Amino acid sequence: MARKARIDIANYFYHVIARGQRKNPLFFSNEDREEFIAILKDLLKIFDILIYAFAIMGNHFHLLLYRGESSLSQFLKKLDTRYAIHFNKKYGTTGHVFQDRPKSFIILDNKYLGNSIKYIHLNPEKAGMVGNYNEYLYSSAKCYNDNINCEIVTKLKIFSGETGVLKYREFMKQEGSDSLIMYEDAIGTEELYKKLEKRERGRNNSYKG
């Protein structure tokens, strides 16, 4: 059966998740995580893509991306290929490093952006890697919670500046605010998904790629 094509539409946010082959570790050390961040930094220079949140775990990673005019598929392919080359060379392995291609979920309504950021930032805490999400070094949580600049992160406007920090901290305390409504390969309702599909198919034949 042919693999389902990825939704890859300009000017939308996407929640991206990728896992190691057979759920094996992708990152054995902080040096691996640093290398991954360095690759992201390089790719941001050549792709019209912005990162709004990230968490680099043990056997997977999360990214909240905004796709401009560059292809999301090409960006993720470059990211996976470059990191896989690093991984195989460092650990003397061969073959696939990732479990299939990264999953990407288009965000159909910007009201879900805060929920996606919270979901990503809470990931290390829920996995038991730290006692508090803000302690984790390899996520963008500190960029938002402590109002510091992260080189690869563009902050969501509502959470930017001193006032934004307070809004972010309050939002992180709200119960259930990390829940994500999912439909197919999207974050949003079935109604919003079908509206997008109808509009994009009417506009051109490259709805997915």
Side-chain angles (χ1 to χ4, degrees):
M1 182 182 292
R3 183 169 62 178
K4 185 178 179 180
R6 184 193 305 280
I7 295 180
D8 196 350
I9 306 171
N11 305 316
Y12 274 88
F13 286 89
Y14 295 81
H15 186 142
V16 174
I17 306 170
R19 299 187 182 279
Q21 180 76 331
R22 298 184 182 87
K23 297 184 179 180
N24 289 327
L26 282 173
F27 311 100
F28 283 103
S29 66
N30 287 342
E31 287 75 17
D32 289 338
R33 295 179 178 91
E34 294 284 359
E35 178 64 24
F36 186 77
I37 290 173
I39 293 170
L40 282 173
K41 181 180 174 183
D42 284 347
L43 293 179
L44 291 177
K45 296 175 183 176
I46 57 176
F47 283 89
D48 186 15
I49 300 277
L50 298 174
I51 298 175
Y52 278 79
F54 71 88
I56 306 169
M57 305 293 286
N59 68 352
H60 69 285
F61 65 80
H62 290 265
L63 300 172
L64 177 62
L65 304 177
Y66 180 80
R67 181 233 201 254
E69 294 305 316
S70 297
S71 164
L72 177 68
S73 296
Q74 289 300 314
F75 176 85
L76 295 176
K77 184 177 180 180
K78 287 276 189 184
L79 176 62
D80 280 17
T81 299
R82 284 189 54 178
Y83 186 74
I85 290 171
H86 156 80
F87 185 97
N88 282 332
K89 183 177 180 180
K90 181 175 179 179
Y91 295 107
T93 54
T94 58
H96 295 293
V97 173
F98 290 91
Q99 181 178 294
D100 203 8
R101 67 182 186 184
K103 294 181 179 178
S104 60
F105 301 89
I106 189 170
I107 298 179
L108 301 177
D109 191 321
N110 285 355
K111 70 181 182 181
Y112 298 118
L113 291 176
N115 297 55
S116 291
I117 290 173
K118 183 174 182 179
Y119 183 94
I120 291 170
H121 287 171
L122 286 180
N123 217 240
E125 181 180 321
K126 289 184 175 181
M129 299 176 76
V130 288
N132 181 278
Y133 72 91
N134 196 46
E135 298 171 1
Y136 193 64
L137 297 178
Y138 293 95
S139 85
S140 51
K142 282 188 173 295
C143 306
Y144 284 90
N145 195 72
D146 298 340
N147 195 29
I148 60 175
N149 290 325
C150 289
E151 198 169 6
I152 64 170
V153 174
T154 300
K155 294 180 189 176
L156 206 62
K157 285 185 179 179
I158 192 173
F159 296 144
S160 297
E162 295 295 336
T163 303
V165 168
L166 297 178
K167 289 181 180 178
Y168 171 79
R169 291 174 182 172
E170 284 303 312
F171 183 76
M172 293 297 286
K173 294 176 184 176
Q174 294 174 17
E175 296 222 358
S177 55
D178 61 330
S179 60
L180 300 175
I181 297 173
M182 309 291 293
Y183 180 77
E184 296 286 343
D185 41 2
I187 296 174
T189 64
E190 179 180 358
E191 181 183 7
L192 287 172
Y193 185 89
K194 290 185 175 178
K195 281 182 179 179
L196 172 75
E197 189 174 39
K198 182 179 180 180
R199 184 175 73 244
E200 292 301 321
R201 288 196 186 282
R203 183 178 298 170
N204 56 57
N205 293 321
S206 58
Y207 167 54
K208 296 183 179 182

